[in-house]
Amino acid sequence: MKTFASIALCSTFLTGCQALSTQVNPAPTALVDEIQKTSDTTSSFEKCLSPRAIELLSKMTLEEKIGQLHQAAGGRSKNLNSRLNEEEFDKVRRGEIGSYLHVAGAAELKEIQRVALEESTHGIPLLFAMDVVHGYRTIYPVPIAMAASWDDELMEEASRMAGRESASSGLHWTFAPMVDIARDPRWGRIVEGAGSDPYLGSRMSEAQVKGFQNGDLSAEDTVLATTKHIGVYGAPTGGRDYGTSDVSERTVNEVYLPPFYAANQAGSGSYMTAFNDIAGIPTTANEELVDGVLRSDWGFCGMIVSDWNAIHELTNHGIAKDRAEAGSLALQAGVDMDMTSEVYKKDLINAIKENPNLENDLNLAAGRIITVKEQLGLFDKGLQYHDVERERAEILKDENRALARKAAQKTAVLLKNENNALPITEPQKIAVIGGLAKDTMTQLGSWRARGDKNEVVSLLDGLTNNAPEGIEISYAKGTEVYESSFSYAPDRQVSVEDNIYSAPQADLAKAIETAEAADRVVLVIGEHYDWSGEARARTDIELPENQMKLAEAIFKTGKPVTVVLVTGRAMAIPELDEKADAILNFWMSGVEAGNALADIVYGEVSPAGRLPINFPRKTGQVPFSYSENPSGRPAHSNLAKDTNRSIDVETTPLYPFGHGLSYSSFEYGELTADTTSISSDGSVQLTTDVTNTGDMVAEEVVQLYMRDPYAFVARPRIELRGYKRISLEPGETAKITFTVQAEQSGIYVKRNEWLTQAGELKFFIGRSSSDIESETSINVTDQKRGSIPAAAIKTKVEVSK
Ligand code: NOJ
């Protein structure tokens, strides 16, 4: 890590600065002079710290600077603000706290902010933070579902709404977007991200940052985004949360980092480091990644926060002998704020005594935090975040609910539809079966912020209240809804047996009777919310026994069955695929879930969500991505050949990445290129026509894939490089043009170096990664080196009708 002095004196992080790092630290006032003298340089110090921050640093004691680095829990996630007592107010007066999480409320937070602004020595405001991940009070579908919309504008709009709602409630900072690519659905946190693909992930990442921040952090209706969890948090071994990620440097850079890069381009004001290690280096102490790649190579100037207790946990990783060393490693890596471990607060002073150079890192960290507070406008209008009237008007307003309903419509993925099972339009009796149909908590998903289950329209209520004339709904449970037994309570002993298979069967006979008395069944099965999310890894992503029993009993009745799958991850559901007439993957869809389900089931809206990850046939197929590198012995259907496959399952996924059906039908024209060759600086326009050949207005997601067939390293079988969700009237045709730059085929060579190679590039247009309609190819005539992760570069798409 560069020293405070060296940063003021060096124009880049990587050259010449290290030699200066042993210099004696100048006193703060001398530093200010130094900076003023060199104000025409482009040092990071000047670039990243506001004049007010520099001025304040010159007046603050070491303890006060450390105070800025401390983020305390102001309550618990289920009992917000509960720790904000008199003692806490005194800490704020003494400048011991930089930020609180697990707090919220315009009125509730006003007094403590006033104390910070008016009664603390330097009047530095507090930062109030919360995990507003897929809504604050108006909860919209979980992030993996939002990615299934393949609709960046929707993602941006929804994040904007969440930003407005939470800012009206006194919050400044959300711990979102979570942009960890995940190819292993055993990992419970797959629910929080955009799935398996770095191109789609990059688009969803930038859309969320734009939505939360809206280009103006100082506005009172925006919040600071935290792009998390930088590193490779999404690939823990075996899918077990917090575990080591041992992936190649190429994969880190080509697959896992692009969404983080895209977030920086979109202006993300903060990042959070991951809990886990990559090849032995926990991200919280990874100087090369955090201070090197993120800050130096990508030019990120904002604030970096650790994850919960992660600085202390560096001792568990075995790379710090004690807390002081943990603090010093994290600080040197460039982690500015310590989320709750109190290592910075309690142990940094000793570390600085041992190594005075750390004071420079401390200055930078405190300076970055103060600068962010200033960018948010908190010094000058901090109390304006506490307008109770605005909060009342904003929270759960009709417009927000309407957007949540639209989002839930757009995220549903129709996996299978035979025998005209959907939509249901004719008068008839429908039996809705399954405890999840009534479980409003589950629709709130994994991060519900201040979502209230009483404000959720259940799937059953939605289907009942919106039923067209002549459709009658009956209901039976069939399985009890699993009761969460292990929500964060480390003092309690909860065993595996107590856990996910413990939900009893409920009255199966009643469910069968209800199904038999109806014309068709809507069977609502899948995951309870508490099976997805943090620390919710599963070894088995199939249905649990009691739900399988229910499904089998219902199939046996011989009634047509539509499965509504509730899930936060890809699941392996081969039996459902074999026996159900239709399967609608409805994820966990937020406050308007039931209404949106009715819109789709009764045919008001044609579904057009597309899978952001393969759905495997069996758990053992994962991790399983459509864009793996080709094998020397590609998988073959004939088991007698020795090929890249398992012998007990088909070679393909059950439902591939990009898959999703419609109530309408679409015809694709040829894919044509406007040129046969481009330079490495150039771009190609790829065009196709798509016609709605059905008889209802419907949306289609047009997908563009690329393959580099011959390169200096093996390239993915195919890679997503563009998409567009379009709406077409019956009979209407749209012309879709994708402008792809040669650089989007760039291959990672080494840190900060990407190579666009000369040679052939193939392009494919299709309905999914396994359903390609047409292809074409062009030639890149020369090669060039660049520094942008290829998947992070956005393809321009134009639609004309
Ligand atoms: C731990 C999680 O990993 C992180 O995503 C979250 O933001 C923090 N807890 C705070 O709740």
Side-chain angles (χ1 to χ4, degrees):
M1 178 81 186
K2 277 54 59 189
T3 68
F4 196 60
S6 66
I7 281 171
L9 294 168
C10 300
S11 59
T12 78
F13 272 80
L14 297 172
T15 52
C17 298
Q18 299 295 349
L20 295 173
S21 65
T22 50
Q23 282 185 352
V24 178
N25 305 324
T29 36
L31 280 169
V32 176
D33 291 347
E34 188 68 52
I35 289 149
Q36 276 160 1
K37 261 193 274 160
T38 58
S39 60
D40 57 346
T41 71
T42 54
S43 77
S44 294
F45 189 93
E46 294 166 290
K47 197 175 98 197
C48 296
L49 268 53
S50 70
R52 174 163 6 207
I54 295 169
E55 179 64 29
L56 275 166
L57 285 175
S58 71
K59 296 180 188 152
M60 290 164 77
T61 63
L62 268 188
E63 286 77 6
E64 286 166 344
K65 290 175 194 168
I66 289 175
Q68 287 304 308
L69 274 52
H70 177 51
Q71 182 176 58
R76 302 170 70 96
S77 60
K78 295 197 175 77
N79 197 2
L80 301 173
N81 310 327
S82 56
R83 295 185 182 154
L84 297 183
N85 50 26
E86 261 316 307
E87 208 181 312
E88 225 40 55
F89 276 62
D90 282 341
K91 288 186 195 164
V92 171
R93 282 187 188 95
R94 294 194 296 268
E96 290 173 17
I97 311 274
S99 169
Y100 282 107
L101 81 164
H102 293 335
V103 291
E108 292 84 340
L109 298 179
K110 185 171 184 179
E111 182 55 11
I112 198 158
Q113 184 69 296
R114 190 200 61 73
V115 167
L117 285 166
E118 295 173 8
E119 296 179 20
S120 71
T121 318
H122 300 288
I124 303 175
L126 294 161
L127 267 179
F128 298 131
M130 191 193 242
D131 290 276
V132 179
V133 176
H134 56 110
Y136 177 66
R137 179 77 163 267
T138 309
I139 303 296
Y140 49 88
V142 289
I144 194 168
M146 292 300 288
S149 72
W150 295 56
D151 186 337
D152 322 349
E153 282 156 28
L154 176 75
M155 186 55 130
E156 184 173 338
E157 223 186 320
S159 311
R160 173 95 189 90
M161 181 236 303
R164 261 197 323 262
E165 268 196 356
S166 45
S168 80
S169 207
L171 293 169
H172 315 126
W173 187 16
T174 176
F175 300 133
M178 191 281 218
V179 305
D180 298 306
I181 296 298
R183 295 181 160 185
D184 186 341
R186 291 174 300 177
W187 187 52
R189 298 197 80 169
I190 196 167
V191 62
E192 295 176 49
S196 65
D197 186 76
Y199 182 84
L200 180 62
S202 296
R203 305 292 72 82
M204 292 298 153
S205 167
E206 65 203 7
Q208 288 174 86
V209 170
K210 284 190 204 156
F212 288 129
Q213 300 190 165
N214 202 32
D216 181 5
L217 278 181
S218 72
E220 288 139 40
D221 64 351
T222 61
V223 287
L224 176 74
T226 313
T227 304
K228 69 185 189 185
H229 309 81
I230 191 161
V232 185
Y233 185 41
T237 307
R240 292 181 299 275
D241 210 359
Y242 318 124
T244 184
S245 291
D246 208 355
V247 290
S248 72
E249 186 182 337
R250 181 178 316 288
T251 302
V252 170
N253 283 279
E254 293 191 354
V255 176
Y256 290 93
L257 291 186
F260 291 96
Y261 181 92
N264 186 44
Q265 293 300 102
S268 179
S270 75
Y271 280 79
M272 186 187 293
T273 51
F275 280 121
N276 61 324
D277 74 278
I278 311 169
I281 308 179
T283 310
T284 307
N286 192 334
E287 184 169 356
E288 180 167 10
L289 179 63
V290 177
D291 211 27
V293 174
L294 177 56
R295 287 203 205 279
S296 173
D297 299 351
W298 299 353
F300 172 68
C301 261
M303 171 178 67
I304 296 174
V305 63
S306 79
D307 206 338
W308 182 285
N309 203 39
I311 299 183
H312 168 78
E313 289 166 16
L314 292 176
T315 58
N316 297 346
H317 282 280
I319 63 150
K321 65 178 180 308
D322 54 24
R323 283 169 57 95
E325 189 181 10
S328 124
L329 287 173
L331 192 68
Q332 287 179 86
V335 176
D336 303 318
M337 190 173 276
D338 174 358
M339 187 191 286
T340 70
S341 84
E342 302 197 342
V343 168
Y344 283 172
K345 180 178 157 146
K346 293 184 176 156
D347 304 87
L348 208 51
I349 283 275
N350 287 340
I352 292 172
K353 276 185 199 146
E354 265 180 43
N355 174 10
N357 284 330
L358 284 176
E359 197 181 335
N360 299 311
D361 298 304
L362 171 64
N363 282 325
L364 271 174
R368 286 190 284 250
I369 292 166
I370 296 170
T371 301
V372 159
K373 292 179 175 183
E374 186 165 7
Q375 286 165 349
L376 283 160
L378 299 181
F379 279 94
D380 303 318
K381 43 181 191 172
L383 294 181
Q384 289 179 23
Y385 279 81
H386 303 278
D387 177 344
V388 179
E389 278 312 308
R390 183 157 66 92
E391 181 182 40
R392 201 170 295 135
E394 197 59 57
I395 298 287
L396 208 69
K397 62 186 183 192
D398 291 352
E399 192 183 315
N400 295 0
R401 271 198 172 275
L403 181 57
R405 183 168 182 164
K406 180 168 94 174
Q409 293 165 353
K410 284 187 181 259
T411 51
V413 185
L414 185 60
L415 298 174
K416 176 181 178 184
N417 195 17
E418 279 175 10
N419 308 319
N420 293 324
L422 285 177
I424 304 171
T425 50
E426 299 300 318
Q428 58 191 293
K429 290 184 182 151
I430 302 175
V432 176
I433 311 274
L436 284 171
K438 272 187 154 181
D439 183 23
T440 47
M441 259 320 251
T442 285
Q443 294 307 324
L444 289 177
S446 59
W447 284 111
R448 50 196 166 281
R450 298 194 96 180
D452 180 344
K453 67 176 181 177
N454 299 315
E455 290 162 355
V456 176
V457 181
S458 75
L459 302 186
L460 179 62
D461 284 351
L463 290 174
T464 307
N465 301 340
N466 296 285
E469 225 182 298
I471 289 186
E472 276 174 42
I473 303 287
S474 55
Y475 169 74
K477 227 192 251 178
T479 53
E480 292 298 340
V481 172
Y482 155 79
E483 284 298 329
S484 172
S485 55
F486 62 152
S487 278
Y488 188 68
D491 304 336
R492 205 148 40 89
Q493 174 65 35
V494 182
S495 67
V496 170
E497 291 73 38
D498 297 328
N499 206 355
I500 69 174
Y501 295 104
S502 64
Q505 191 69 59
D507 192 345
L508 207 53
K510 169 91 188 305
I512 296 168
E513 194 186 302
T514 310
E516 275 170 348
D519 298 305
R520 67 174 61 238
V521 176
V522 171
L523 178 63
V524 183
I525 45 182
E527 290 200 310
H528 179 266
Y529 79 89
D530 213 11
W531 296 3
S532 275
E534 188 172 345
R536 299 296 183 264
R538 295 177 63 198
T539 58
D540 177 354
I541 55 170
E542 291 154 39
L543 285 171
E545 211 180 305
N546 59 350
Q547 292 202 33
M548 245 357 272
K549 254 194 201 157
L550 172 65
E552 274 159 16
I554 298 300
F555 288 135
K556 260 200 204 134
T557 64
K559 298 288 174 182
V561 177
T562 290
V563 168
V564 172
L565 189 67
V566 173
T567 180
R569 50 157 58 85
M571 291 184 77
I573 48 165
E575 299 85 355
L576 302 183
D577 178 66
E578 196 190 317
K579 294 184 184 149
D581 294 84
I583 305 177
L584 182 69
N585 186 23
F586 202 61
W587 311 104
M588 296 169 185
S589 276
V591 285
E592 285 288 320
N595 287 333
L597 178 66
D599 295 335
I600 292 173
V601 166
Y602 301 135
E604 285 298 312
V605 173
S606 172
R610 300 289 184 263
L611 293 180
I613 182 167
N614 279 350
F615 269 44
R617 293 169 191 276
K618 280 193 168 188
T619 305
Q621 273 183 312
V622 307
F624 190 21
S625 157
Y626 80 94
S627 62
E628 284 168 13
N629 293 339
S631 161
R633 295 181 170 192
H636 197 283
S637 58
N638 181 1
L639 269 180
K641 295 175 192 271
D642 295 345
T643 66
N644 174 222
R645 59 169 299 171
S646 307
I647 57 171
D648 58 350
V649 69
E650 294 303 320
T651 58
T652 52
L654 185 61
Y655 305 115
F657 176 88
H659 172 74
L661 304 173
S662 166
Y663 293 161
S664 194
S665 51
F666 296 90
E667 216 173 84
Y668 282 66
E670 292 290 294
L671 180 65
T672 56
D674 68 338
T675 174
T676 51
S677 67
I678 59 174
S679 75
S680 55
D681 276 327
S683 60
V684 57
Q685 292 200 333
L686 298 150
T687 302
T688 193
D689 285 345
V690 178
T691 305
N692 181 351
T693 50
D695 51 15
M696 77 178 284
V697 183
E699 295 184 342
E700 171 75 347
V701 179
V702 184
Q703 301 167 35
L704 179 78
Y705 294 89
M706 181 191 78
R707 164 141 177 82
D708 180 346
Y710 174 58
F712 76 96
V713 287
R715 302 305 297 152
R717 203 177 55 83
I718 51 169
E719 303 173 81
L720 185 69
R721 276 298 176 271
Y723 58 87
K724 186 69 189 171
R725 184 165 174 147
I726 52 169
S727 175
L728 291 174
E729 300 283 331
E732 194 179 19
T733 298
K735 186 180 283 307
I736 298 109
T737 302
F738 299 89
T739 305
V740 180
Q741 300 164 45
E743 223 182 346
Q744 290 179 261
S745 68
I747 303 171
Y748 177 78
V749 179
K750 61 178 198 248
R751 181 169 152 192
N752 219 16
E753 189 176 318
W754 292 73
L755 181 67
T756 303
Q757 273 203 293
E760 187 188 13
L761 281 183
K762 293 186 172 189
F763 293 98
F764 309 85
I765 200 85
R767 304 164 196 270
S768 82
S769 59
S770 312
D771 188 356
I772 298 302
E773 287 287 332
S774 172
E775 64 175 90
T776 187
S777 70
I778 62 151
N779 211 42
V780 178
T781 52
D782 59 346
Q783 70 172 42
K784 80 163 191 186
R785 285 172 202 272
S787 59
I788 307 178
I793 303 171
K794 186 171 181 169
T795 298
K796 186 169 146 212
V797 191
E798 284 157 307
V799 179
S800 60
K801 290 184 178 173

